[in-house]
Amino acid sequence: MRIKVITPLTSEAFEKETREEVVKFASSGTEIHTERIEYGAESIESAYDEALCAPGTIRLAEKAQSEGYDGIVISCMGDPALDAVREKVDIPVVGPARATMLFAADLAHTFSVVTILQNVIVLIEDLAKKLGLIEKMVSVRSVDIPVLELTDKGRLINSLVDESILAIEKDKAHSIVLGCTGMMGIADALKDSLLKKGYNVPVLDPVPIAIRYLEALISLRLSQSKMTYMPVTIKERNIWKRLD
Amino acid sequence: MRIKVITPLTSEAFEKETREEVVKFASSGTEIHTERIEYGAESIESAYDEALCAPGTIRLAEKAQSEGYDGIVISCMGDPALDAVREKVDIPVVGPARATMLFAADLAHTFSVVTILQNVIVLIEDLAKKLGLIEKMVSVRSVDIPVLELTDKGRLINSLVDESILAIEKDKAHSIVLGCTGMMGIADALKDSLLKKGYNVPVLDPVPIAIRYLEALISLRLSQSKMTYMPVTIKERNIWKRLD
Amino acid sequence: MRIKVITPLTSEAFEKETREEVVKFASSGTEIHTERIEYGAESIESAYDEALCAPGTIRLAEKAQSEGYDGIVISCMGDPALDAVREKVDIPVVGPARATMLFAADLAHTFSVVTILQNVIVLIEDLAKKLGLIEKMVSVRSVDIPVLELTDKGRLINSLVDESILAIEKDKAHSIVLGCTGMMGIADALKDSLLKKGYNVPVLDPVPIAIRYLEALISLRLSQSKMTYMPVTIKERNIWKRLD
Amino acid sequence: MRIKVITPLTSEAFEKETREEVVKFASSGTEIHTERIEYGAESIESAYDEALCAPGTIRLAEKAQSEGYDGIVISCMGDPALDAVREKVDIPVVGPARATMLFAADLAHTFSVVTILQNVIVLIEDLAKKLGLIEKMVSVRSVDIPVLELTDKGRLINSLVDESILAIEKDKAHSIVLGCTGMMGIADALKDSLLKKGYNVPVLDPVPIAIRYLEALISLRLSQSKMTYMPVTIKERNIWKRLD
Amino acid sequence: MRIKVITPLTSEAFEKETREEVVKFASSGTEIHTERIEYGAESIESAYDEALCAPGTIRLAEKAQSEGYDGIVISCMGDPALDAVREKVDIPVVGPARATMLFAADLAHTFSVVTILQNVIVLIEDLAKKLGLIEKMVSVRSVDIPVLELTDKGRLINSLVDESILAIEKDKAHSIVLGCTGMMGIADALKDSLLKKGYNVPVLDPVPIAIRYLEALISLRLSQSKMTYMPVTIKERNIWKRLD
Amino acid sequence: MRIKVITPLTSEAFEKETREEVVKFASSGTEIHTERIEYGAESIESAYDEALCAPGTIRLAEKAQSEGYDGIVISCMGDPALDAVREKVDIPVVGPARATMLFAADLAHTFSVVTILQNVIVLIEDLAKKLGLIEKMVSVRSVDIPVLELTDKGRLINSLVDESILAIEKDKAHSIVLGCTGMMGIADALKDSLLKKGYNVPVLDPVPIAIRYLEALISLRLSQSKMTYMPVTIKERNIWKRLD
């Protein structure tokens, strides 16, 4: 099976890191390609950024379907443009936030998301409301590090440990969801640090989960409901004249 | 006070009708201007359309603020780009869906939205979940008429009466929200028809409500919380190179 | 348009302060009169007080309608007798608690109410449950100052700042609702104090909001649903023999 | 133990029927007295009626406590003045609506209330929201018979059977709550009629349940929480000058 | 009336204490017998223990019904095997957790459960979700004492006071539910200690409440709904060959 | 990887069918073995059956872990003994009901479960409440065919089509969940029949989903949270003396 992982932002470095990471998670027999959008914003840290990255993400998704990919992951914890893309294509499209929250809801009584910045807390809470899981999400906490500074893994892991412990002790979280797809390759270290301090909880890493979940959908021939994500009507949409 | 009503779609006819309508609702002393986006989609009937109309809507909102307008209404029941615009500007920005649902929640125990097409029912339900009012919204029904055919007012009013009665009788709605800003100038006729059939319920017309609500916000010097809609960071967003 | 603001308690000083305050908020073209009830309790700080002030409030509302007023505000954050009054009259009746919570729900992801005494916290939480907004109301806090001592504005503002900061920091409130209509003329000072400490959140003042919201309803010819607030049947109600 | 059953309305016939009925339900060893209010409304069929009957109900409750009663039942499914009375006295006070909904919530997955008139449906739904049981209450239906016509038991039982079957078949109710304390002495007949038609569901009769529940509270020395129903402060409440 | 109290675990000491305790609570005229299961676990501190104690509990319940008992209490705050037993017998079966939460929901705006071990917090929260009362249950706290060590009443009472004060101050609990049926004979001491420290809240003791509630059900001829707890079909269930 | 599928009931035919079915779904590289419990009930159609099948299921799960399996599926839509098993073992344990509801929640705005008998509707609704997804589950419908008669695939498919259409048309379901693991090998036929009638919705088959989801968990090294499913304490549990 062939999977397209769309990086819904324009940073080359971020896409490169994603590319190196995702190949580790795929099953043998799965071919994964990553691609980043051409126009949009350098990173996604607001509803404003999401809005600007949506057209490019839609175009890449249409392209992936026409090239015969079996499914798509939109690699960002805001699940940007997910509804629009699911309307536009028939192959299954996975948003890491939804997928990871669902895994967390099964594995634990409660979960907490630890994300990058205060700015995206509301976005993530709204995703959980829409998905119906707000009752199980006991908090969204942030490490206060912008996406493009996530490369300092030492600083990141320390902050993640601190916030995760607060999530467990104060908010009664029974599992931890990494709240940004840029927090790559760090879940095991976080899990181990927590375990050493006596906290035996699952740490859920969104990109690997999204890929494995998409593989499951593809092999089960499942896709998004066309009653929820109805096909779009044909009419003039002149924005493409400028963007294409 | 000066209000900008943004038509977040590219149809000239729709904007013209909006312009003729809105002047009727404003208080004396309020100056209202309408403006439609330059690039996007002809009408909004899907999450896909909303995504494509968002960049143009954002640009018009920024322009309105820089031109000294006191507040903005985004004239569409999907409240497209509302979060992004509220992040980007400081003047109050009103989405007709949110405003109208809130008025309905105050005036009645329950409300039903009667909208244009099946396609937007999920969008409207998700708005109510986000706003926290899903428990009071007993149904979203549709008349199955596309936006650009709403000009046939006779057909529209008949369908609205039928669906409103179903909403009242079957779904136990105590008030009716018009579910598309294109259903202009029709609320009184619907209210009268329902009254003749024995149903004395408020009929809530989104554009006039949005304008009066915005006037109230402006006169009270209230605007969206900057803790919810945090100011956006500065970074490269190359989509504007193509769009501006 | 002519608006009657009912002070649903018997304190002359409270009504006088209300009268001086409300004229500041009305639009030009709006005529506002205040009137206090003749029999009831001196202030409202319990369900018991609300029950005792209800008959007088109802009578004033009936009188206002018969005198041709276009709408009514019941000036107390417990919205006392609101349901009964809305059943009894046809002109729109606004409760400041409901109106202010709805404005807060639109402008921010979450809100906190800061009220006078512990005693009314449950009343306010129950109003939010009934209105459907309990999920967005993250807390109700109190400054522990009885209504009739609210005239010490210095003590009041200090306590309000302290509790508002706790609401923001601990309860994650994104906006602050003043929880008593006796906290008049203080919203701007509170907003400024919070801003100086780095908290840029809306501060919602219930009486001005109620008046502006009522003006909007009147101009839109909207009133409470008669399916929710059904007209009362005719029968013997001998309490009026004693009270009238 | 001595229990006071307050009839919170002024109809002598209603009180007489209550008196004859309640003696059947009490345990041996329980002394029950009924008393009706002196001033208020003849029956309770609206929030307006509830407001008018509240002062009289409060006075009777205070009298009952001073006369050494061990507990109070307010005999109406609107639980009128319950919060105020619970603030004012220390002995346990039971509202039949709350008590019966709680029994229903334990005995069945879902319940439906079948009440007298459309007019009180919203009141009953609001009680369930406040109590936290709205999710289990699948519907409130009405037989459309005013309180004072409930004496025609034949008409009542037929309508109750019809509405109960609709509640079970359409609303998926697993138990039936009688929605007016005036529906006395009829629960067994309704239960039998339903059983003959193949519906084996509990039928919950509010007055007997309220009495037995109050007996349990008294014997367990339990009463309402004084943190929820805080003692009222002392101040001028001039309404008593007219009413006492 | 005759009541069977089933101790759904195998500890002889626990049953003995239960037996001595329950006779104090029953009304005159009620005959109470206790009986413990023969095979299962020594105490219930996990879903695993509950599963192992279920078959024995079911058998004792069937026996009680065949011996003519009028009702059953399953004496454990996990309400183990309650659904199965309610399906299998027709006489009313009471689970102390459900009954006590319902009493607490009536008497107070909010309640907190103080239980034995961290291990059972999730079980108790899931019971509240199923019952529909999770919104009113503001917390479940634990004293961290295993069931079989509850005999040290001094240690128990001190821990209960500490956790109850945290429940009131931090979680805003307005009443306290004892979270283990092994915490017998201690409610009054806890209530007094809290009162001395200024907290006037109901303390709800599950076993006495369950017995009084069951007496009420029996005298009202109420039992669990057979639409919720449908009679079980006849078929091979070979586990009884080993257990009987 | 090696997966154990436990048939938590004693029917040999059911296990045989499961065995033949599950091999079709596993990925290459996954070794799947099925095993049925030795003592319990022939099929699971009530809480009573679930209770009787729990001990056997627990024992098989412990055995699977000791034999080095990487994960377990409990093949029944009641997820019987899931909590107990998750406490007792460390390898991931999947309940088909939870897993399938989560997939449905992601793929569609709403879902409906179509199950075998009325008797299990409450069980399934309670699972959804516990999982936090009750808002998205718009109905549970039944085809009224006992588990052991599910072998008549013609009758089954016709009933499933009828109930699924009612779920879509009346309950507004956007996806269909097969509500019994005995409905094997039928999802594709149901999906096709619905598509021919114009309903393009996902049909979710619990056993294949559970297997693929478990494979994902194993490959991601994720398992249930040990804060939710805490390890059980050591003590006497004499039931094993009879059962082992």
Side-chain angles (χ1 to χ4, degrees):
Chain A
M1 84 183 56
R2 295 171 68 227
I3 288 174
K4 169 65 60 93
V5 175
I6 296 175
T7 298
L9 41 86
T10 62
S11 157
E12 189 178 347
F14 192 94
E15 191 214 342
K16 188 161 168 287
E17 196 181 7
T18 304
R19 189 165 49 234
E20 287 163 5
E21 195 73 6
V22 295
V23 294
K24 301 180 198 161
F25 309 126
S27 304
S28 68
T30 299
E31 209 181 294
I32 302 195
H33 297 112
T34 62
E35 189 165 2
R36 74 175 188 279
I37 61 171
E38 231 185 294
Y39 42 83
E42 213 179 7
S43 64
I44 296 188
E45 293 161 332
S46 60
Y48 177 69
D49 289 334
E50 287 196 1
L52 299 189
C53 293
T57 303
I58 291 167
R59 269 307 191 232
L60 280 193
E62 291 176 288
K63 179 165 158 257
Q65 175 163 285
S66 70
E67 291 172 355
Y69 280 90
D70 297 299
I72 294 167
V73 169
I74 299 173
S75 181
C76 172
M77 276 299 274
D79 289 354
L82 182 67
D83 293 349
V85 169
R86 282 183 162 189
E87 288 172 351
K88 204 61 180 56
V89 303
D90 293 319
I91 55 174
V93 185
V94 169
R98 283 170 80 92
T100 311
M101 287 178 189
L102 291 166
F103 275 55
D106 173 49
L107 295 177
H109 187 56
T110 56
F111 64 90
S112 190
V113 178
V114 185
T115 190
I116 42 166
L117 295 175
Q118 292 278 341
N119 308 48
V120 299
I121 289 178
V122 172
L123 302 182
I124 289 173
E125 289 191 12
D126 284 344
L127 285 175
K129 282 186 190 169
K130 193 166 149 180
L131 184 53
L133 286 178
I134 193 74
E135 300 297 321
K136 301 204 79 175
M137 189 171 81
V138 289
S139 63
V140 183
R141 293 182 162 272
S142 79
V143 291
D144 281 315
I145 305 176
V147 171
L148 301 179
E149 295 175 28
L150 290 176
T151 41
D152 178 350
K153 299 292 177 190
R155 176 180 165 205
L156 175 58
I157 187 78
N158 286 338
S159 298
L160 280 172
V161 170
D162 291 349
E163 290 298 323
S164 297
I165 290 173
L166 287 170
I168 293 167
E169 289 291 347
K170 288 192 53 181
D171 310 330
K172 308 296 174 200
H174 288 191
S175 62
I176 300 296
V177 169
L178 295 182
C180 176
T181 53
M183 294 172 174
M184 282 174 280
I186 208 154
D188 287 348
L190 174 59
K191 171 141 182 80
D192 290 347
S193 298
L194 290 172
L195 200 53
K196 271 182 207 141
K197 290 169 189 282
Y199 302 105
N200 188 1
V201 297
V203 173
L204 294 106
D205 194 359
V207 176
I209 285 176
I211 290 171
R212 287 287 177 172
Y213 172 59
L214 177 58
E215 288 181 346
L217 293 181
I218 293 169
S219 70
L220 295 159
R221 272 167 302 137
L222 285 169
S223 191
Q224 53 271 4
S225 171
K226 281 293 153 179
M227 289 196 70
T228 298
Y229 306 98
M230 295 180 82
V232 305
T233 52
I234 293 174
K235 63 185 163 197
E236 194 185 86
R237 295 180 175 95
N238 67 7
I239 192 174
W240 296 125
K241 290 184 196 157
R242 301 215 182 187
L243 292 177
D244 285 344
Chain B
M1 85 183 56
R2 295 171 68 227
I3 288 175
K4 168 64 61 91
V5 175
I6 296 175
T7 298
L9 41 87
T10 61
S11 157
E12 189 177 347
F14 191 96
E15 191 214 340
K16 186 160 168 291
E17 197 180 5
T18 304
R19 190 165 48 234
E20 288 162 5
E21 194 74 6
V22 295
V23 294
K24 302 181 196 159
F25 309 126
S27 305
S28 68
T30 299
E31 208 181 296
I32 300 196
H33 297 110
T34 62
E35 187 165 2
R36 74 175 186 282
I37 60 172
E38 231 185 295
Y39 41 85
E42 215 179 4
S43 63
I44 295 188
E45 293 161 333
S46 60
Y48 178 70
D49 289 334
E50 288 196 0
L52 299 190
C53 293
T57 303
I58 292 167
R59 268 309 191 230
L60 281 192
E62 291 176 289
K63 180 167 157 255
Q65 173 162 288
S66 69
E67 291 173 354
Y69 281 90
D70 297 299
I72 295 167
V73 170
I74 299 173
S75 181
C76 172
M77 275 299 273
D79 289 355
L82 182 66
D83 292 350
V85 169
R86 283 183 161 188
E87 288 171 352
K88 204 63 179 60
V89 303
D90 293 319
I91 55 174
V93 185
V94 168
R98 283 170 80 93
T100 311
M101 287 178 189
L102 291 166
F103 275 55
D106 173 49
L107 295 177
H109 187 55
T110 54
F111 64 89
S112 191
V113 178
V114 186
T115 189
I116 43 165
L117 296 175
Q118 293 278 340
N119 308 47
V120 299
I121 290 178
V122 171
L123 302 181
I124 289 172
E125 289 191 12
D126 283 344
L127 285 175
K129 282 187 191 169
K130 194 166 147 177
L131 184 53
L133 286 178
I134 192 74
E135 300 297 321
K136 302 204 80 177
M137 188 171 82
V138 288
S139 62
V140 184
R141 293 182 163 272
S142 79
V143 292
D144 282 314
I145 304 175
V147 171
L148 301 179
E149 295 175 27
L150 289 176
T151 42
D152 178 349
K153 299 290 178 193
R155 176 180 165 205
L156 175 58
I157 187 79
N158 286 338
S159 298
L160 279 172
V161 170
D162 291 350
E163 290 298 323
S164 296
I165 290 173
L166 286 170
I168 294 167
E169 289 291 346
K170 287 191 55 179
D171 310 330
K172 308 296 175 200
H174 287 192
S175 62
I176 300 295
V177 169
L178 295 181
C180 177
T181 53
M183 294 172 174
M184 282 174 282
I186 209 156
D188 287 347
L190 174 59
K191 172 142 183 79
D192 289 348
S193 298
L194 290 173
L195 201 53
K196 270 181 208 143
K197 290 169 189 281
Y199 301 105
N200 187 1
V201 297
V203 173
L204 293 107
D205 194 359
V207 176
I209 285 175
I211 290 170
R212 287 288 178 172
Y213 171 61
L214 176 58
E215 288 181 347
L217 293 181
I218 293 170
S219 69
L220 294 159
R221 270 166 305 137
L222 285 170
S223 191
Q224 53 270 5
S225 171
K226 282 294 156 183
M227 288 195 71
T228 298
Y229 305 98
M230 294 181 82
V232 304
T233 51
I234 293 173
K235 63 185 161 196
E236 194 187 87
R237 295 179 176 95
N238 66 8
I239 191 174
W240 296 125
K241 291 184 195 157
R242 300 213 183 187
L243 291 176
D244 285 343
Chain C
M1 82 182 57
R2 293 173 68 229
I3 288 175
K4 169 62 62 96
V5 175
I6 297 175
T7 298
L9 41 87
T10 62
S11 158
E12 191 179 346
F14 191 95
E15 191 214 342
K16 186 162 167 291
E17 196 181 5
T18 304
R19 190 164 48 236
E20 288 161 6
E21 194 74 5
V22 294
V23 295
K24 300 179 197 161
F25 310 125
S27 304
S28 68
T30 299
E31 208 181 294
I32 301 196
H33 297 112
T34 63
E35 188 165 1
R36 73 176 188 280
I37 60 172
E38 231 186 294
Y39 41 85
E42 214 178 5
S43 64
I44 296 188
E45 293 161 333
S46 60
Y48 178 70
D49 289 333
E50 288 196 2
L52 299 188
C53 293
T57 303
I58 292 168
R59 268 308 191 233
L60 281 193
E62 292 177 289
K63 180 166 158 257
Q65 174 163 285
S66 70
E67 291 172 355
Y69 281 89
D70 298 299
I72 293 167
V73 169
I74 299 174
S75 181
C76 172
M77 275 299 273
D79 289 354
L82 181 67
D83 292 349
V85 170
R86 283 184 161 189
E87 287 172 352
K88 204 61 181 58
V89 303
D90 292 319
I91 55 173
V93 186
V94 168
R98 283 170 81 91
T100 311
M101 286 178 191
L102 291 167
F103 276 56
D106 173 49
L107 295 177
H109 186 57
T110 56
F111 64 90
S112 190
V113 178
V114 185
T115 188
I116 44 167
L117 296 175
Q118 292 278 339
N119 308 48
V120 299
I121 290 178
V122 172
L123 302 181
I124 290 172
E125 288 191 12
D126 283 345
L127 285 175
K129 282 186 190 171
K130 195 167 148 178
L131 184 53
L133 286 179
I134 193 73
E135 300 297 320
K136 300 203 81 175
M137 188 171 83
V138 287
S139 63
V140 184
R141 293 182 161 270
S142 79
V143 292
D144 281 315
I145 305 175
V147 171
L148 301 178
E149 295 175 27
L150 289 176
T151 42
D152 178 348
K153 299 290 178 193
R155 177 180 165 204
L156 176 57
I157 187 76
N158 286 338
S159 298
L160 280 173
V161 170
D162 290 350
E163 290 298 324
S164 296
I165 290 174
L166 286 170
I168 293 166
E169 289 290 347
K170 286 192 53 180
D171 310 330
K172 308 296 171 199
H174 288 191
S175 62
I176 300 297
V177 169
L178 295 181
C180 177
T181 53
M183 294 171 175
M184 282 175 282
I186 209 156
D188 287 347
L190 174 58
K191 172 140 181 80
D192 289 348
S193 298
L194 290 173
L195 201 53
K196 271 180 207 144
K197 289 170 189 282
Y199 302 104
N200 187 2
V201 297
V203 172
L204 294 105
D205 194 359
V207 177
I209 285 175
I211 290 171
R212 288 287 177 170
Y213 172 60
L214 176 57
E215 288 181 347
L217 293 181
I218 293 170
S219 70
L220 294 161
R221 272 168 304 135
L222 285 170
S223 192
Q224 52 269 5
S225 171
K226 281 293 155 182
M227 289 195 72
T228 298
Y229 305 98
M230 294 180 83
V232 305
T233 53
I234 293 174
K235 63 186 163 196
E236 195 185 85
R237 295 180 175 93
N238 67 7
I239 192 174
W240 296 125
K241 292 184 194 157
R242 302 217 180 184
L243 291 177
D244 285 345
Chain D
M1 90 183 50
R2 296 171 68 228
I3 288 176
K4 170 62 62 91
V5 175
I6 296 175
T7 298
L9 41 86
T10 63
S11 158
E12 190 178 347
F14 191 95
E15 191 214 341
K16 186 161 168 291
E17 197 181 4
T18 304
R19 189 164 50 234
E20 288 162 5
E21 194 73 7
V22 294
V23 295
K24 300 180 197 160
F25 309 125
S27 304
S28 69
T30 300
E31 210 181 293
I32 301 197
H33 297 111
T34 62
E35 188 165 2
R36 74 175 188 282
I37 60 171
E38 233 186 292
Y39 42 83
E42 214 179 6
S43 64
I44 296 188
E45 294 161 332
S46 60
Y48 178 70
D49 289 334
E50 288 196 0
L52 299 189
C53 293
T57 302
I58 291 167
R59 268 309 192 231
L60 281 193
E62 291 176 289
K63 178 166 159 257
Q65 174 162 287
S66 70
E67 291 172 354
Y69 281 89
D70 298 299
I72 294 167
V73 169
I74 299 173
S75 182
C76 172
M77 275 300 273
D79 290 355
L82 182 66
D83 292 348
V85 170
R86 284 184 160 186
E87 287 171 353
K88 203 61 180 61
V89 304
D90 292 320
I91 56 174
V93 186
V94 168
R98 283 170 80 92
T100 311
M101 287 178 191
L102 292 166
F103 275 56
D106 173 48
L107 295 177
H109 186 56
T110 55
F111 64 90
S112 190
V113 178
V114 185
T115 189
I116 42 166
L117 296 175
Q118 292 278 340
N119 308 46
V120 299
I121 291 179
V122 171
L123 302 181
I124 290 173
E125 289 191 12
D126 283 344
L127 286 175
K129 281 186 192 170
K130 194 166 147 177
L131 185 51
L133 285 178
I134 193 73
E135 300 296 321
K136 300 205 81 176
M137 188 170 84
V138 287
S139 62
V140 183
R141 292 181 162 271
S142 79
V143 292
D144 281 315
I145 305 174
V147 171
L148 301 177
E149 295 174 27
L150 288 177
T151 43
D152 178 349
K153 298 290 179 194
R155 176 180 166 205
L156 176 58
I157 186 78
N158 285 338
S159 298
L160 280 173
V161 170
D162 291 350
E163 290 298 324
S164 296
I165 290 173
L166 286 170
I168 294 167
E169 289 290 346
K170 285 191 55 179
D171 310 331
K172 308 296 173 200
H174 287 192
S175 62
I176 300 296
V177 169
L178 296 181
C180 177
T181 54
M183 295 172 174
M184 281 174 283
I186 209 157
D188 286 347
L190 174 58
K191 171 142 183 81
D192 290 347
S193 298
L194 290 172
L195 201 52
K196 271 181 207 143
K197 290 170 190 280
Y199 303 104
N200 188 2
V201 297
V203 172
L204 294 106
D205 194 359
V207 177
I209 285 175
I211 291 170
R212 288 288 178 171
Y213 172 60
L214 177 57
E215 289 181 346
L217 293 181
I218 293 170
S219 70
L220 294 160
R221 270 167 306 137
L222 285 170
S223 191
Q224 52 271 4
S225 170
K226 281 293 155 183
M227 289 194 72
T228 299
Y229 305 98
M230 295 181 83
V232 305
T233 53
I234 293 173
K235 63 186 163 197
E236 195 186 83
R237 295 180 175 93
N238 67 7
I239 191 174
W240 296 125
K241 291 184 194 155
R242 302 215 182 184
L243 292 177
D244 286 341
Chain E
M1 88 184 50
R2 294 171 68 229
I3 287 175
K4 170 62 62 91
V5 175
I6 296 175
T7 298
L9 42 86
T10 62
S11 158
E12 190 178 345
F14 191 95
E15 191 214 341
K16 187 161 168 289
E17 197 181 5
T18 304
R19 189 164 50 234
E20 288 162 3
E21 194 73 6
V22 294
V23 295
K24 302 180 196 158
F25 309 124
S27 305
S28 68
T30 299
E31 209 181 293
I32 300 197
H33 296 112
T34 62
E35 189 166 359
R36 75 175 185 281
I37 60 171
E38 231 185 294
Y39 42 85
E42 216 179 5
S43 63
I44 296 188
E45 294 161 333
S46 59
Y48 178 71
D49 289 334
E50 288 196 0
L52 299 189
C53 292
T57 302
I58 291 167
R59 268 311 191 230
L60 281 193
E62 292 175 289
K63 180 167 158 254
Q65 173 162 286
S66 70
E67 290 172 353
Y69 281 89
D70 298 298
I72 294 167
V73 170
I74 298 173
S75 181
C76 171
M77 276 300 273
D79 291 354
L82 181 66
D83 292 348
V85 169
R86 284 184 160 187
E87 287 171 352
K88 204 60 181 57
V89 304
D90 292 320
I91 55 175
V93 185
V94 169
R98 283 170 80 92
T100 311
M101 287 178 191
L102 292 166
F103 276 55
D106 173 49
L107 296 176
H109 186 57
T110 55
F111 64 90
S112 190
V113 178
V114 185
T115 190
I116 43 166
L117 296 175
Q118 292 277 341
N119 308 48
V120 299
I121 290 178
V122 172
L123 301 181
I124 290 172
E125 289 191 13
D126 283 344
L127 286 174
K129 282 186 191 171
K130 194 166 148 179
L131 184 53
L133 287 178
I134 193 73
E135 300 297 321
K136 300 204 80 177
M137 188 171 82
V138 288
S139 62
V140 184
R141 292 181 163 271
S142 80
V143 292
D144 281 315
I145 305 175
V147 172
L148 301 178
E149 295 175 27
L150 289 177
T151 42
D152 178 349
K153 299 290 178 192
R155 177 181 165 203
L156 176 57
I157 187 77
N158 286 338
S159 298
L160 280 172
V161 170
D162 291 349
E163 291 297 324
S164 297
I165 290 173
L166 287 171
I168 294 166
E169 289 291 346
K170 285 191 54 179
D171 310 330
K172 309 296 174 199
H174 288 192
S175 62
I176 301 295
V177 170
L178 296 181
C180 177
T181 54
M183 294 172 174
M184 282 174 283
I186 209 156
D188 287 347
L190 175 58
K191 170 140 184 83
D192 290 348
S193 298
L194 290 173
L195 201 52
K196 271 181 208 143
K197 290 170 190 282
Y199 302 104
N200 188 1
V201 296
V203 173
L204 295 106
D205 194 358
V207 176
I209 285 175
I211 290 171
R212 288 286 178 172
Y213 172 60
L214 177 57
E215 289 181 347
L217 293 181
I218 293 170
S219 70
L220 296 160
R221 272 167 304 137
L222 284 170
S223 191
Q224 52 271 4
S225 171
K226 281 294 156 180
M227 289 195 71
T228 298
Y229 305 98
M230 296 181 82
V232 304
T233 53
I234 293 174
K235 64 185 163 196
E236 197 186 83
R237 293 179 176 96
N238 67 7
I239 191 173
W240 296 125
K241 290 183 195 158
R242 301 213 182 187
L243 291 177
D244 285 344
Chain F
M1 81 183 58
R2 294 172 69 227
I3 288 175
K4 170 62 63 92
V5 175
I6 296 175
T7 298
L9 41 85
T10 63
S11 158
E12 191 178 344
F14 191 95
E15 191 214 340
K16 188 163 167 288
E17 198 181 4
T18 304
R19 190 165 46 234
E20 289 162 4
E21 194 74 5
V22 295
V23 294
K24 300 179 197 160
F25 310 125
S27 305
S28 69
T30 299
E31 208 180 297
I32 300 196
H33 297 111
T34 63
E35 188 165 2
R36 73 176 187 281
I37 61 171
E38 230 185 296
Y39 41 84
E42 216 179 4
S43 64
I44 295 187
E45 293 161 332
S46 60
Y48 178 70
D49 289 334
E50 287 196 1
L52 299 189
C53 293
T57 303
I58 291 167
R59 268 309 192 230
L60 281 193
E62 291 176 289
K63 180 166 157 256
Q65 173 162 288
S66 71
E67 290 172 356
Y69 282 89
D70 297 299
I72 293 167
V73 170
I74 298 173
S75 181
C76 172
M77 275 299 274
D79 289 355
L82 182 66
D83 292 349
V85 169
R86 283 183 161 188
E87 287 171 353
K88 204 60 180 60
V89 303
D90 292 319
I91 55 174
V93 186
V94 169
R98 283 170 80 92
T100 312
M101 287 177 189
L102 292 167
F103 276 56
D106 173 48
L107 296 177
H109 186 56
T110 57
F111 64 92
S112 190
V113 178
V114 186
T115 188
I116 43 168
L117 295 174
Q118 292 278 340
N119 309 48
V120 299
I121 290 178
V122 171
L123 302 181
I124 289 172
E125 289 191 11
D126 283 345
L127 285 175
K129 282 186 192 170
K130 194 165 146 178
L131 184 52
L133 286 179
I134 194 73
E135 300 297 321
K136 301 204 81 176
M137 189 171 82
V138 287
S139 63
V140 183
R141 294 181 161 271
S142 79
V143 292
D144 281 315
I145 305 175
V147 170
L148 301 178
E149 295 175 27
L150 288 176
T151 42
D152 178 349
K153 300 288 178 194
R155 176 180 165 204
L156 175 57
I157 187 78
N158 286 338
S159 299
L160 280 173
V161 170
D162 291 349
E163 290 298 323
S164 296
I165 290 174
L166 286 170
I168 294 166
E169 290 289 347
K170 286 192 53 179
D171 311 331
K172 308 295 173 201
H174 287 192
S175 62
I176 301 296
V177 169
L178 295 181
C180 177
T181 53
M183 295 171 174
M184 281 174 282
I186 209 156
D188 287 347
L190 174 58
K191 171 139 183 84
D192 289 348
S193 298
L194 291 172
L195 201 52
K196 271 181 207 142
K197 289 169 190 282
Y199 302 105
N200 187 1
V201 297
V203 173
L204 294 106
D205 194 359
V207 176
I209 286 175
I211 290 171
R212 287 288 178 171
Y213 172 59
L214 177 57
E215 289 181 346
L217 293 181
I218 294 170
S219 70
L220 294 160
R221 270 166 306 136
L222 285 170
S223 192
Q224 52 270 4
S225 171
K226 280 294 154 181
M227 289 195 72
T228 298
Y229 306 99
M230 294 181 84
V232 305
T233 52
I234 294 173
K235 64 186 162 196
E236 195 186 85
R237 295 180 175 94
N238 67 8
I239 191 174
W240 295 125
K241 291 182 193 157
R242 299 214 182 188
L243 291 177
D244 285 343

